[in-house]
Amino acid sequence: MTKKKPAIVKRFDDYFGAGTLEDWQRLCGDVGLSEDFGSKTKCRKALKRVHVNIHDLLSAIENGHAVHRFRNVRELAEYSVREGKIYPKRWVKDGPIKALLRCIA
């Protein structure tokens, strides 16, 4: 029996798309990275240095706002726990979500 995909997982999957280089580059641009990344690997490495709440990332994109970036993992963790905005770890696969996900416990 498979469990129904949580709404946040579906929202991210819908936003990200098929995972082409262009999808990765769009994500990098959406989180405020202005460098021209020529490969998925370069995008992935750059995203590992960015601290964003995935719920807020999607809301900002959907509403045409800038994405809030936290200065460090601690600030992201405190905010995410306080607001109850946690991406379900069991749904993490390799790819952009893994590059963005931080251990906040």
Side-chain angles (χ1 to χ4, degrees):
M1 178 173 78
T2 58
K3 298 233 177 202
K4 184 178 176 187
K5 190 181 284 190
I8 188 65
V9 176
K10 182 168 177 7
R11 282 175 65 203
F12 189 84
D13 289 350
D14 290 347
Y15 157 73
F16 188 68
T20 65
L21 175 58
E22 291 77 22
D23 293 329
W24 281 87
Q25 290 169 330
R26 177 176 33 84
L27 174 58
C28 287
D30 286 345
V31 299
L33 298 173
S34 58
E35 185 177 328
D36 184 23
F37 300 100
S39 71
K40 292 179 187 181
T41 300
K42 288 181 181 179
C43 290
R44 183 179 288 113
K45 287 179 180 178
L47 289 169
K48 288 188 175 288
R49 298 186 311 264
V50 174
H51 308 297
V52 297
N53 179 277
I54 295 165
H55 292 262
D56 291 350
L57 163 72
L58 295 171
S59 292
I61 292 165
E62 290 164 358
N63 294 305
H65 298 128
V67 176
H68 176 76
R69 289 171 53 178
F70 294 86
R71 290 183 296 200
N72 54 52
V73 175
R74 182 184 53 78
E75 283 185 3
L76 171 61
E78 289 172 356
Y79 169 82
S80 298
V81 170
R82 181 178 67 245
E83 298 298 321
K85 295 181 176 183
I86 309 289
Y87 190 93
K89 187 175 179 180
R90 65 183 224 98
W91 287 91
V92 174
K93 307 275 188 275
D94 196 24
I97 207 70
K98 189 172 182 179
L100 287 172
L101 207 63
R102 303 291 175 265
C103 181
I104 59 171

